[in-house]
């Protein structure tokens, strides 16, 4: 049975798995606040979500340069328009590493999609 933390995330299509120390995730709004730093941490809500998955887990992730459509492609794989935050401008939308909260069925295992911050992003983590 999912824990209370996992149930509170049902309204979010994706949540941060890894953020910079100094940044804080608000599970009610899905927003991240604070300033990035050079150190990283695993977000407790994401760790709790993963711990509550029954059975084997697989991961699909995309890594590449900033502003090349990684979030868009992963959202489409999840069957949603904006499961991961996407934007129209030059500013990066993904900070850190984000994971899907909707699990895909992968031939006997549950698949988590991971969206990564773009490489060569000036303000990156």
């Amino acid at each position: 049975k999912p824990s209370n933390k996992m149930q509170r995330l049902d309204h979010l299509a994706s949540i941060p798995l890894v953020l910079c120390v100094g940044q804080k995730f608000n599970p009610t709004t899905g927003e991240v606040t604070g300033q990035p730093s050079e150190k990283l941490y695993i977000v407790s809500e994401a760790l709790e979500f993963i711990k509550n998955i029954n059975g084997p887990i697989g991961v699909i992730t995309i890594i590449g340069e900033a502003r090349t459509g990684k979030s868009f492609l992963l959202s489409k794989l999840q069957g949603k328009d904006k499961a991961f935050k996407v934007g129209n401008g030059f500013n990066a939308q993904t900070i850190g590493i984000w994971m899907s909260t909707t699990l895909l069925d992968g031939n006997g295992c549950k698949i988590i999609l991971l969206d990564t911050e773009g490489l060569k992003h000036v303000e990156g983590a």
Side-chain angles (χ1 to χ4, degrees), residues 11 14 17 25 27 41 44 46 61 63 72 74 77 80 82 92-93 98 104 122-124:
H11 63 288
S14 60
L17 173 61
F25 170 63
Y41 76 99
S44 62
T61 190
I63 299 172
F72 175 81
L74 286 170
L77 284 173
K80 299 179 181 177
K82 293 185 179 180
Q93 298 297 309
W98 285 65
L104 303 179
V122 177
E123 300 171 1

Side-chain angles (χ1 to χ4, degrees), residues 20-38:
C20 292
V21 170
Q23 295 180 313
K24 184 173 169 68
F25 170 63
N26 181 329
T28 303
T29 64
E31 295 296 319
V32 173
T33 57
Q35 296 299 313
S37 68
E38 293 182 7

